Amino acid sequence: MIKVATLQLSFTDEQSKEDRIEYAFKKMDENKDADLILLPEMWNIGFFAFDRFKEESEKLDGFTISEISKKAKEIDSYVLAGSIVEARQDGYYNTSVMIDNEGKPLGNYSKMHLFSYGSKEAEILKNGDKVEVIETDIGNFGLNICYDLRFPEIFRAMMRKGAEFFLNVSAWPFPRLANWTALNQARAIENVCYMLSCNCAGINRGKQFLGHSMVVDPWGVVLASTDERERIIRIEIDREKVHEIRKEFPQLNDIVL
């Protein structure tokens, strides 16, 4: 069994990056018995703070990921560090990083599908081009970010690379709650994988995040979910259930395309 803590955090526009990290650390300390901790998308500056993207961007060995790595080692937990604006020589990316319980970054994923509706993300950032599945002692994790949920191809690709769990970090706003719920369940059902999502709560630049982070099992059953407020999901899940269900109901063997 794997103990998971999904930190659906709420911040204010007035909080600095340092304030946000300090608060995230407090919540991580409160859940340090978890094997895996998830943080949401762009939590360190706020997804809709487009004017801060370039100014607050970092390299993957920069302040935010370095601090999260130290904390992961301190509390002996794997951490999916949400996502940050990553600065590279060729531009800026929305990048998520997986860190092990010794504080070592295991891999990263840059968001492939950038959100253009009511957002400047696609104007400022560049698309990632690599599907990422990270193999660990506690499970094989396929990384994806927010809007990726609407594109089933990436999830199929992660499943084919050995994913047992899909980990989605999001800054998904109202009003598209029905879409969010349906897509979380569909991606699990289609690929006989667990779907773990960690969404933002609160308001950022006038936009209300819808929260409703959830854990969906490989049958598509919602095992745990939240409302729109700041919440923590704590749950134990069985990695072996993925393989048991795939054996019991072998739909993946019948894929044609």
Side-chain angles (χ1 to χ4, degrees):
M1 301 293 284
I2 303 167
K3 293 182 180 179
V4 177
T6 295
L7 309 187
Q8 180 176 293
L9 302 181
S10 175
F11 298 100
T12 67
D13 290 344
E14 292 71 33
Q15 287 175 296
S16 67
K17 181 185 291 185
E18 291 75 14
D19 292 337
R20 288 166 176 250
I21 291 174
E22 182 179 354
Y23 186 72
F25 280 4
K26 176 184 175 183
K27 294 301 178 181
M28 291 170 71
D29 283 333
E30 292 172 0
N31 294 277
K32 62 185 179 181
D33 61 324
D35 300 306
L36 173 65
I37 295 174
L38 279 66
L39 292 164
E41 181 182 18
M42 295 280 195
W43 61 276
N44 67 339
I45 61 171
F47 178 81
F48 291 101
F50 303 118
D51 56 311
R52 297 177 64 184
F53 273 22
K54 293 183 179 180
E55 174 188 349
E56 298 273 14
S57 66
E58 303 178 33
K59 294 183 178 180
L60 295 187
D61 59 356
F63 179 66
T64 298
I65 301 303
S66 295
E67 291 299 302
I68 294 291
S69 294
K70 294 174 188 174
K71 178 56 72 171
K73 182 176 182 180
E74 177 187 327
I75 65 176
D76 191 28
S77 296
Y78 284 80
V79 178
L80 181 59
S83 73
I84 65 167
V85 179
E86 179 197 359
R88 300 184 198 169
Q89 287 187 340
D90 68 338
Y92 302 89
Y93 295 81
N94 184 346
T95 300
S96 183
V97 180
M98 173 67 83
I99 299 162
D100 73 10
N101 59 336
E102 296 181 350
K104 177 184 176 183
L106 297 178
N108 60 83
Y109 164 75
S110 294
K111 189 176 183 180
M112 287 187 175
H113 305 95
L114 301 179
F115 194 54
S116 58
Y117 177 77
S119 164
K120 294 183 179 179
E121 181 184 35
E123 298 176 21
I124 302 170
L125 306 184
K126 301 188 74 171
N127 303 76
D129 61 3
K130 181 181 69 171
V131 173
E132 186 67 28
V133 175
I134 298 174
E135 297 183 5
T136 76
D137 292 340
I138 61 172
N140 298 340
F141 300 109
L143 307 189
N144 56 101
I145 300 175
C146 201
Y147 191 44
D148 285 330
L149 271 175
R150 292 186 178 271
F151 301 89
E153 299 84 1
I154 184 176
F155 291 86
R156 185 67 90 212
M158 289 188 286
M159 180 277 292
R160 285 174 166 151
K161 291 186 70 172
E164 300 164 320
F165 303 83
F166 297 141
L167 306 184
N168 179 278
V169 299
S170 287
W172 195 289
F174 279 104
R176 293 173 292 279
L177 174 57
N179 292 178
W180 165 261
T181 302
L183 291 167
N184 270 270
Q185 291 181 275
R187 300 296 86 94
I189 294 168
E190 292 166 345
N191 298 286
V192 196
C193 283
Y194 281 99
M195 181 77 221
L196 283 65
S197 57
C198 182
N199 197 20
C200 295
I203 298 172
N204 179 222
R205 300 296 176 88
K207 298 282 189 178
Q208 173 74 55
F209 297 119
L210 62 79
H212 288 83
S213 301
M214 63 181 67
V215 175
V216 183
D217 81 1
W219 286 119
V221 176
V222 178
L223 302 179
S225 63
T226 64
D227 57 19
E228 73 278 7
R229 293 169 287 182
E230 179 172 298
R231 300 293 189 197
I232 310 296
I233 292 177
R234 292 176 53 85
I235 190 170
E236 291 190 16
I237 51 181
D238 185 0
R239 175 186 188 181
E240 293 306 313
K241 190 172 183 179
V242 174
H243 304 285
E244 291 171 2
I245 294 173
R246 287 178 179 178
K247 184 177 180 180
E248 177 183 348
F249 189 74
Q251 73 179 56
L252 300 180
N253 296 339
D254 299 324
I255 294 173
V256 176
L257 297 178

